[in-house]
Amino acid sequence: MKRRDMLAAAGTGLAMLALVRPAFATTEEMATAINTFTGGVKPTEGKVTFDIAQLIDNGNAVSVTIAVDSAMTAADHVSAIAIFNERNPQTDVAVFTLGPRAGKAQVSTRIRLATSQKLTAVARMGDGSYRSKSVSVIVALAACIEGEAP
């Protein structure tokens, strides 16, 4: 192989790397995911508490707790809590199914965050209504994705 051919092949490879960017979801995709979860019902703000650090050093394992103000009785309970994000490759983070026997409408988990973004928690109430809470977080060290979104 000639030196010129090798340089041309290397240039083509670099050009391909520049074209391949990490996939990020968009705000519209998050809205669509929330709409799918709620079945088209618009969630009402309130009753949901989102416990997550506002400034995150490392996005690889971010602790998050979501609590919903509910008596958790047969007549008034939370049947599901879902977490959505707008900048990870997938907008659906998790869906937790609860019932009146759960005793407490609270879930905790660790999630990966690709970059600074908005997170939304949506709670499905026993009466079919939805409650939500959104927070914005700043991630200093992104998880699993190199580079920034365009």
Side-chain angles (χ1 to χ4, degrees), residues 4 7 10 34 36 39 46 50 65 71 73 83 97 103 128 137:
R4 183 171 293 194
L7 289 173
I34 292 171
T36 300
F50 215 126
T65 299
T73 62
I83 305 171
T97 302
V137 296

Side-chain angles (χ1 to χ4, degrees), residues 1-148:
M1 178 179 258
K2 294 181 182 177
R3 180 177 166 205
R4 183 171 293 194
D5 294 336
M6 198 155 96
L7 289 173
T12 302
L14 287 175
M16 292 301 291
L17 284 175
L19 292 175
V20 178
R21 294 177 167 246
F24 287 105
T26 63
T27 303
E28 293 80 22
E29 289 173 337
M30 183 173 84
T32 301
I34 292 171
N35 200 28
T36 300
F37 176 72
T38 63
V41 177
K42 185 171 171 60
T44 306
E45 287 276 335
K47 287 194 170 190
V48 178
T49 304
F50 215 126
D51 186 16
I52 187 170
Q54 299 299 304
L55 178 60
I56 299 162
D57 291 335
N58 187 342
N60 283 308
V62 179
S63 180
V64 59
T65 299
I66 292 133
V68 182
D69 183 23
S70 172
M72 292 305 280
T73 62
D76 177 23
H77 65 276
V78 176
S79 60
I81 297 174
I83 305 171
F84 301 93
N85 68 73
E86 67 179 357
R87 300 292 303 256
N88 277 10
Q90 299 291 321
T91 57
D92 306 45
V93 175
V95 176
F96 301 93
T97 302
L98 305 171
R101 297 173 76 187
K104 192 173 186 181
Q106 180 175 323
V107 295
S108 295
T109 189
R110 292 180 187 264
I111 61 176
R112 298 180 82 169
L113 293 175
T115 187
S116 299
Q117 59 187 295
K118 183 170 104 177
L119 300 168
T120 300
V122 180
R124 180 186 302 137
M125 308 304 282
D127 64 358
S129 65
Y130 291 87
R131 298 293 185 146
S132 69
K133 173 74 176 176
S134 295
V135 296
S136 294
V137 296
I138 298 170
V139 178
L141 179 62
C144 71
I145 296 176
E146 299 291 326
E148 281 289 318

